[in-house]
Amino acid sequence: MLYYKKRESKKKHVLTIVILIALIIFSSLNPKATTLSSNVASSILMPINKVFYSITTSFQSAVDSVFGSKANRERVEALEKENDQLNEELNKLKIIVADKKALENEYEFQKKNSNYINAKVISLEPSNLFDRFVIDKGSNSGIKKGDMVVQGYMDKDKKISKALVGRVEEVGLTTSKVVSIMDDKYNLSFKVVASNDFGIVNRRSDGALEGYLLNKDSKVAKGDDIVTSGIGEVYEPNIYIGRVREVFDSTDRLNKEVVIDSPVDYTRLYSVFVIQNNEVVDEKF
């Protein structure tokens, strides 16, 4: 039976070939037959074309039902882009609202210290948010290596004063790199305003400054104001650093240690002021 089916299939195949050859010969002998052969071919291929078109249409309909038509997809993409832009603007407005007090302090500080150079923070070091950053002012604005960097803040007497941020470490033509006092590679000498005792900041932890008093009998207390000592001539004296949060004895009980909070929010550091080296520092401390 299987052999018989194979023979029948072979006969049909041969017959199909013979018919096609006859059509080709007939078409070449009679030009009018070309139309006939074309019609015959069309008739043979029409069911196949219908099936193919049906499949293609169904597939396109399925794609459109899931993803939408091309026009709709383009519209959705445009709306998504517009939505992203609106969200970005909204986030900027939220930052402005959240930093309203800081902006007010900056405005009041700038009015009183117009001779300081106002600069915007344009980038942060990738290693640590608090350590170093770049400002948009350089040598063409008169900035030099070693210049102090400060920010305006409202003190406990509701007056706008300046708090130490850091100092300029590298200067380019239009930008400068600032190393902040939160960089633990450098020690920072300080003075307790209430007692005139001196100390050294030698550690940083969780956005706070940690150090010790040189005099183990110092009367430093929680809430005391801390300013720069001027020792080492890295910073001018009497620039506000922060306020004592905690006082405790060292492990060996040979020193008093302190934790100091800076009024500068380094996580929201957008604008600073640069004091040039030749500027005379006049502080109340």
Side-chain angles (χ1 to χ4, degrees), residues 26 110 143 145 150 173 207 215 229 241 246 266:
F26 182 71
Q110 191 167 18
I143 292 179
K145 180 178 179 180
V150 299
L173 182 63
N215 180 6
S229 67
I241 295 174
E246 187 179 355
Y266 286 88

Side-chain angles (χ1 to χ4, degrees), residues 100-127:
K100 180 182 177 183
K101 181 56 66 177
L103 291 173
E104 290 175 349
N105 292 345
E106 179 184 325
Y107 174 72
E108 292 297 326
F109 183 81
Q110 191 167 18
K111 283 199 305 183
K112 297 178 180 179
N113 301 278
S114 58
N115 51 341
Y116 294 167
I117 301 173
N118 186 213
K120 303 299 180 185
V121 176
I122 57 175
S123 70
L124 298 166
E125 287 286 315
S127 59

Side-chain angles (χ1 to χ4, degrees), residues 25 29 36 70 84 100 145 164 210 222 252 271-272:
I25 295 171
L29 295 175
L36 176 61
K70 182 179 180 181
D84 290 340
K100 180 182 177 183
K145 180 178 179 180
L164 183 63
E210 298 181 0
K222 179 180 178 180
D252 57 12
S271 179
V272 294

Side-chain angles (χ1 to χ4, degrees), residues 6-38:
K6 286 183 177 180
R7 288 185 61 189
E8 286 294 320
S9 176
K10 185 180 292 186
K11 285 180 181 179
K12 291 180 180 180
H13 183 65
V14 172
L15 182 59
T16 302
I17 294 173
V18 171
I19 292 172
L20 290 174
I21 292 173
L23 286 172
I24 293 170
I25 295 171
F26 182 71
S27 298
S28 62
L29 295 175
N30 186 1
K32 293 183 178 180
T34 304
T35 304
L36 176 61
S37 61
S38 177

Side-chain angles (χ1 to χ4, degrees), residues 224-252:
D224 281 350
D225 287 322
I226 303 295
V227 298
T228 55
S229 67
I231 297 175
E233 299 182 352
V234 176
Y235 296 106
E236 294 285 348
N238 300 323
I239 303 296
Y240 188 70
I241 295 174
R243 185 171 297 169
V244 175
R245 181 211 301 175
E246 187 179 355
V247 181
F248 55 92
D249 290 329
S250 62
T251 305
D252 57 12

Side-chain angles (χ1 to χ4, degrees), residues 25 40 92 120 132 178 186 230 234 253:
I25 295 171
V40 172
K92 289 180 180 179
K120 303 299 180 185
R132 300 161 186 266
V178 177
Y186 300 97
V234 176
R253 296 185 178 277

Side-chain angles (χ1 to χ4, degrees), residues 29 77 260 264:
L29 295 175
E77 290 174 359
I260 305 167
V264 178

Side-chain angles (χ1 to χ4, degrees), residues 213-226:
L213 277 302
L214 299 179
N215 180 6
K216 66 178 181 178
D217 297 322
S218 172
K219 302 299 181 181
V220 63
K222 179 180 178 180
D224 281 350
D225 287 322
I226 303 295

